[in-house]
Amino acid sequence: MNAIDIKNLNKSYDNGFKALKNINLTVKKGEIFALLGPNGAGKSTLINIICGITKKSNGEVKIFKYDNILQYKLTRSLIGLVPQEIATDSFEKVINTLKFSRGLFNKKPSQDYLDFVLKSLDLYTKKNSQIRTLSGGMKRRVMIAKALSHEPKILFLDEPTAGVDVSLRKTLWRYLNKLKQTGVTIFLTTHYIEEAENLADRIGIINKGKIIIVAKKTDILEKLGTKKLIIKFNKMVNLSKIQKKYDLKKIGKKIIFTYDYKKQNDDVSNLLSELSNNSIKFEDIEIEKSNLEEIFLKLLDK
Amino acid sequence: MNIRGIQAIYIFEMSRAFRTIAQSIASPVLSTILYFIVFGSAIGSRINDIDGVNYSSFLVPGLVMLTILNQSVSNSSFGIYFPKFSGTIYEILSAPISPFEITCGYVFAAASKSIIVGLIILITSSFFVEINILHPLWMLFLLILISVTFSLFGFIIGIWADDFQRIQLIPSFIITPLTFLGGSFYSINMLPEFWQKVSYFNPIVYLVSAFRWSFYGNSDVSIFISIFATLLFLGFCIFLIAFIFKTGYRIKT
């Protein structure tokens, strides 16, 4: 079942700027979907349209089969949003801001559930503190707690770990994985490729308002990734014949042979045999797999 | 109907008022006491009765109205402007709550706060002057009607404003001058004929007049014309708010 179904979604602003261009996207129930893209690519605009903060120009957005405009009360009750900027009522107590959020989403008061959320996010001891007294990381966790206060089925996180230290980032990742186990669908946007690599089941890449690719993380790596065979020699060797044949890159006492991630061919064994037949001894061999970051940058360059 | 959503906004707004009690309640009460001391006791003792009412007592409905109008507009405009300024409006816009429910939450809270302040001023003034309320139910009805109407007006200002200066613009340059010139401190009949006619173009005259009538039974304008004018303004504000939410003006891009 699809948690989010977007068809032919467009967004143009009054000044003519097209923020989203014909977006088609589905997010399955229970998955973690990461949307990657540079600044201004349209990530936040997409989230804001789904959540009802920004108006779409045309197209269709469905949340669990319900239209997000025609049945906005129903769809919004299923959604929790953590925006990019930390926006809280500084003078309000943590527990009160959570009660406010829960009430706003028409949920019966539940001290037990709110305590559970606060404990899960290591905020329980701060429940009676004013938000302004908390650290930046804690404030961000308060934002997540607010989004979870009404027990949403889909959680949107717009760059949840921007400006957050490594330790907190990893704590949040662990928490999001736990949340996924409870059946919550998670849609996150991020700059950090590492975040997408660690968390996401599927990844989408957006640039200049267009979705370039949506696929499983492993599929993207296999489809677009490359492997590098790096052979190190203990002295300078003459490889002119072989270098041309295999399109090798020579850097000092190293040669680099780049080949497709998934491609099954005999080039690697042929290359090694050829070196052996020419009595060229090598010191070491390494294989490097390309990561998502390289693929991301390659796609954006296109 | 998302009653819990309305309640959440209402409780949030009221708790903000009580958290800043000095600013939201004590300050208007102090200002009114100063008005009583200056205009009621010091200057008022040298002014004759107006329509058979002692000048200090005559002042009470006008002063309550002055406070009610300013409080309703400023409470409501600040209430909706601040989430826009701080960014917390995202939560309201992404919640399953209709524009009508959002307006109810903010406007009822703003009106409640100004009614509370109005009643406190009324009680405070009873320590300075003798007050008789001839039509207490009408007085309460007008208090509620005017508070709600001007809270709606303040809500529009709060949405329209894109900085703090604009929030103060209409209360400072329109509401307060019109209230001062609307018979808060005098009867319209005391003005030369020309200025009396000009005063009838001031909508506040109708509010002050009706409110004073509920106290002393005297009014410059018919009570029904006053109520009709207020209801007309209320309808205009509701229409404007409906338009704002329909188009997303200054709320949604």
Side-chain angles (χ1 to χ4, degrees):
Chain A
M1 188 186 192
N2 289 335
I4 305 166
D5 213 335
I6 299 170
K7 280 183 189 150
N8 307 318
L9 182 68
N10 288 285
K11 173 67 187 173
S12 303
Y13 287 98
D14 292 341
N15 61 8
F17 175 69
K18 287 186 175 176
L20 295 177
K21 297 169 192 165
N22 205 36
I23 303 287
N24 286 287
L25 178 68
T26 54
V27 176
K28 294 183 190 87
K29 182 177 178 267
E31 76 171 338
I32 298 185
F33 181 84
L35 188 62
L36 295 170
N39 281 332
K43 305 185 295 289
S44 299
T45 307
L46 181 59
I47 285 191
N48 288 343
I49 288 177
I50 299 171
C51 295
I53 295 170
T54 300
K55 292 186 291 180
K56 65 184 178 186
S57 296
N58 53 53
E60 189 181 83
V61 177
K62 288 193 171 176
I63 304 294
F64 290 108
K65 293 184 182 172
Y66 302 109
D67 189 279
N68 83 324
I69 302 288
L70 299 173
Q71 289 145 305
Y72 74 95
K73 280 204 174 186
L74 185 59
T75 58
R76 289 184 197 175
S77 66
L78 301 168
I79 288 173
L81 168 66
V82 184
Q84 199 177 120
E85 302 289 332
I86 294 179
T88 55
D89 297 292
S90 304
F91 295 94
E92 196 58 271
K93 285 181 182 172
V94 172
I95 187 67
N96 289 346
T97 194
L98 261 61
K99 283 180 183 170
F100 171 74
S101 300
R102 192 173 167 86
L104 211 53
F105 280 75
N106 206 10
K107 281 274 181 182
K108 276 185 190 167
S110 170
Q111 191 64 48
D112 289 346
Y113 178 73
L114 294 184
D115 283 349
F116 164 74
V117 171
L118 288 171
K119 280 175 189 164
S120 308
L121 287 158
D122 288 334
L123 283 169
Y124 188 70
T125 54
K126 300 286 179 187
K127 70 187 269 190
N128 288 313
S129 303
Q130 277 191 333
I131 297 172
R132 71 192 173 107
T133 63
L134 306 180
S135 66
M138 280 180 182
K139 282 181 188 159
R140 199 165 279 279
R141 276 182 279 160
V142 170
M143 301 283 289
I144 297 174
K146 275 168 80 68
L148 292 171
S149 66
H150 63 277
E151 303 162 59
K153 299 280 177 265
I154 308 173
L155 182 65
F156 285 89
L157 300 124
D158 196 357
E159 298 191 18
T161 54
V164 164
D165 68 52
V166 180
S167 150
L168 177 60
R169 194 177 301 168
K170 293 200 167 157
T171 311
L172 281 177
W173 292 353
R174 273 196 298 275
Y175 181 69
L176 293 178
N177 270 318
K178 260 196 236 168
L179 205 61
K180 186 194 165 190
Q181 308 302 321
T182 65
V184 174
T185 307
I186 296 167
F187 184 115
L188 67 98
T189 68
T190 181
H191 277 312
Y192 302 111
I193 315 288
E194 190 197 356
E195 190 156 88
E197 237 174 330
N198 274 284
L199 275 176
D201 298 307
R202 284 195 313 141
I203 287 168
I205 296 177
I206 188 170
N207 191 28
K208 293 175 185 166
K210 272 187 179 173
I211 295 218
I212 301 170
I213 190 171
V214 176
K216 278 185 182 172
K217 182 173 62 187
T218 44
D219 288 351
I220 289 186
L221 287 167
E222 284 186 7
K223 217 159 110 185
L224 299 166
T226 53
K227 280 183 187 173
K228 283 177 186 167
L229 176 72
I230 303 163
I231 303 171
K232 289 179 189 168
F233 303 97
N234 50 14
K235 58 179 182 185
M236 296 296 276
V237 287
N238 184 7
L239 296 162
S240 48
K241 269 189 191 172
I242 304 171
Q243 198 175 341
K244 208 172 181 185
K245 188 174 174 186
Y246 292 94
D247 193 21
L248 302 176
K249 198 173 171 186
K250 195 175 178 214
I251 305 168
K253 293 177 187 173
K254 274 196 297 190
I255 55 167
I256 300 169
F257 173 52
T258 305
Y259 57 103
D260 284 353
Y261 206 94
K262 214 180 169 184
K263 202 172 168 186
Q264 299 290 323
N265 62 27
D266 300 327
D267 284 354
V268 174
S269 57
N270 289 345
L271 172 64
L272 293 175
S273 309
E274 214 154 321
L275 288 172
S276 171
N277 292 342
N278 287 297
S279 305
I280 300 171
K281 288 184 178 172
F282 48 83
E283 192 182 65
D284 199 5
I285 286 184
E286 263 179 50
I287 292 179
E288 264 183 19
K289 290 179 185 175
S290 63
N291 58 25
L292 208 51
E293 188 161 353
E294 286 164 345
I295 296 169
F296 175 68
L297 292 172
K298 204 160 81 181
L299 282 168
L300 293 189
D301 275 348
K302 277 185 182 175
Chain B
M1 186 91 165
N2 184 353
I3 298 290
R4 289 194 195 99
I6 299 174
Q7 259 176 359
I9 295 175
Y10 185 86
I11 292 169
F12 177 83
E13 282 297 299
M14 293 306 280
S15 68
R16 189 164 58 80
F18 289 114
R19 209 167 48 223
T20 54
I21 201 155
Q23 180 201 334
S24 51
I25 294 174
S27 164
V29 171
L30 179 70
S31 309
T32 314
I33 291 172
L34 291 174
Y35 278 122
F36 274 120
I37 294 171
V38 176
F39 292 106
S41 304
I43 300 171
S45 58
R46 293 162 189 262
I47 298 175
N48 295 333
D49 288 359
I50 300 171
D51 297 330
V53 181
N54 170 278
Y55 183 68
S56 301
S57 304
F58 178 86
L59 270 182
V60 176
L63 282 178
V64 172
M65 195 48 51
L66 179 72
T67 311
I68 287 281
L69 296 181
N70 276 314
Q71 284 293 307
S72 299
V73 172
S74 62
N75 285 335
S76 183
S77 56
F78 189 80
I80 188 66
Y81 175 73
F82 197 71
K84 272 173 51 185
F85 169 76
S86 66
T88 53
I89 190 93
Y90 83 87
E91 202 173 14
I92 308 270
L93 295 177
S94 62
I97 185 163
S98 69
F100 173 73
E101 291 155 352
I102 295 171
T103 311
C104 284
Y106 281 106
V107 167
F108 289 163
S112 302
K113 281 185 263 179
S114 49
I115 290 168
I116 291 170
V117 174
L119 292 175
I120 291 174
I121 288 170
L122 209 54
I123 294 164
T124 314
S125 61
S126 69
F127 295 118
F128 294 88
V129 291
E130 198 186 322
I131 301 169
N132 292 310
I133 303 172
L134 272 182
H135 310 287
L137 286 180
W138 275 106
M139 190 277 287
L140 215 55
F141 168 74
L142 287 165
L143 197 64
I144 294 168
L145 177 68
I146 293 166
S147 299
V148 169
T149 305
F150 278 78
S151 295
L152 281 167
F153 184 55
F155 191 76
I156 296 166
I157 295 172
I159 289 173
W160 165 75
D162 49 14
D163 56 31
F164 279 101
Q165 193 189 309
R166 283 197 172 193
I167 288 219
Q168 287 305 321
L169 211 64
I170 290 184
S172 303
F173 289 96
I174 297 177
I175 305 286
T176 305
L178 286 183
T179 315
F180 269 79
L181 300 171
S184 296
F185 299 98
Y186 55 83
S187 165
I188 300 298
N189 297 330
M190 293 162 77
L191 295 172
E193 200 176 332
F194 173 75
W195 289 110
Q196 277 188 37
K197 282 182 183 161
V198 171
S199 294
Y200 290 125
F201 289 99
N202 177 358
I204 309 291
V205 165
Y206 300 88
L207 308 178
V208 175
S209 170
F211 200 58
R212 188 167 285 136
W213 170 85
S214 70
F215 279 69
Y216 307 119
N218 305 322
S219 65
D220 295 329
V221 191
S222 154
I223 169 87
F224 296 106
I225 291 177
S226 296
I227 291 175
F228 177 74
T230 313
L231 288 174
L232 207 66
F233 188 53
L234 177 91
F236 172 72
C237 291
I238 291 173
F239 168 78
L240 217 58
I241 289 172
F243 172 79
I244 284 168
F245 277 109
K246 196 170 166 45
T247 56
Y249 172 76
R250 298 260 165 121
I251 304 179
K252 289 187 183 185
T253 47

